[in-house]
Amino acid sequence: MEPEPEQQRIGYQIDRAIAVCHHRTRGDGFLSWEEELEELPRVKIELSDQSYEFEVYDGANLLLEAASRSIPLPFQCTTGRCGTCRVHVQEGMENLSDYTDSELYRLGDEELVQGGRLACQLFVYGDVRISVNSEKSE
């Protein structure tokens, strides 16, 4: 028997709430809202002649966060295979996830040394400043 639409909606909301709570936990338990607000990483993206600045939850994916804010980062595949979402980390490399195999394969040694990363493969754990060379991305 198929659940009623109202039950499906409530079930979805419960599943979403559980996922959000799970995302907001750390090894030592839940953070209070005040602690969470104080600790949110700040991301600054410099794209052509525009600059965007926003906060993200710890461990958020850079490309998804930018897309959800209508920031026009170029991308195609979202899996690290195409290399379209190339960015350069100006500050905060230590606050990002480790390089993935896709990045090591797709980006050359010189680009890696200069702070090149793939936005779809980046997870943010602290403040970062990212630049995008729009001419190279097009």
Side-chain angles (χ1 to χ4, degrees):
M1 180 184 278
E2 185 80 14
E4 296 293 321
E6 182 66 15
Q7 290 173 326
Q8 287 178 336
R9 186 181 64 76
I10 291 170
Y12 171 78
Q13 289 174 333
I14 291 169
D15 289 345
R16 181 73 182 126
I18 291 169
V20 168
C21 287
H22 177 71
H23 177 74
R24 292 182 177 160
T25 60
R26 295 196 178 166
D28 58 349
F30 288 97
L31 296 174
S32 71
W33 287 105
E34 295 82 16
E35 290 173 315
E36 212 171 89
L37 290 175
E38 289 174 14
E39 294 186 25
L40 289 179
R42 294 204 53 79
V43 175
K44 184 173 185 177
I45 297 177
E46 298 163 353
L47 177 64
S48 300
D49 59 346
Q50 291 192 303
S51 183
Y52 303 89
E53 199 165 332
F54 54 94
E55 293 178 331
V56 298
Y57 283 113
D58 202 39
N61 177 271
L62 179 65
L63 180 62
L64 294 178
E65 292 294 328
S68 72
R69 290 168 173 80
S70 300
I71 298 171
L73 284 183
F75 72 95
Q76 286 182 359
C77 73
T78 71
T79 61
R81 298 186 78 194
C82 71
T84 305
C85 63
R86 280 180 165 87
V87 297
H88 287 87
V89 180
Q90 302 298 319
E91 293 175 8
M93 184 68 85
E94 69 279 2
N95 296 326
L96 297 171
S97 54
D98 291 335
Y99 289 98
T100 64
D101 290 340
S102 295
E103 289 178 295
L104 296 173
Y105 175 76
R106 187 68 47 211
L107 304 172
D109 290 340
E110 185 178 328
E111 194 168 5
L112 290 170
V113 168
Q114 294 174 355
R117 299 293 304 263
L118 298 177
C120 69
Q121 301 295 295
L122 287 181
F123 294 90
V124 180
Y125 297 99
D127 296 350
V128 295
R129 185 168 62 93
I130 306 289
S131 66
V132 181
N133 184 350
S134 60
E135 294 155 8
K136 217 178 199 181
S137 304
E138 291 177 352

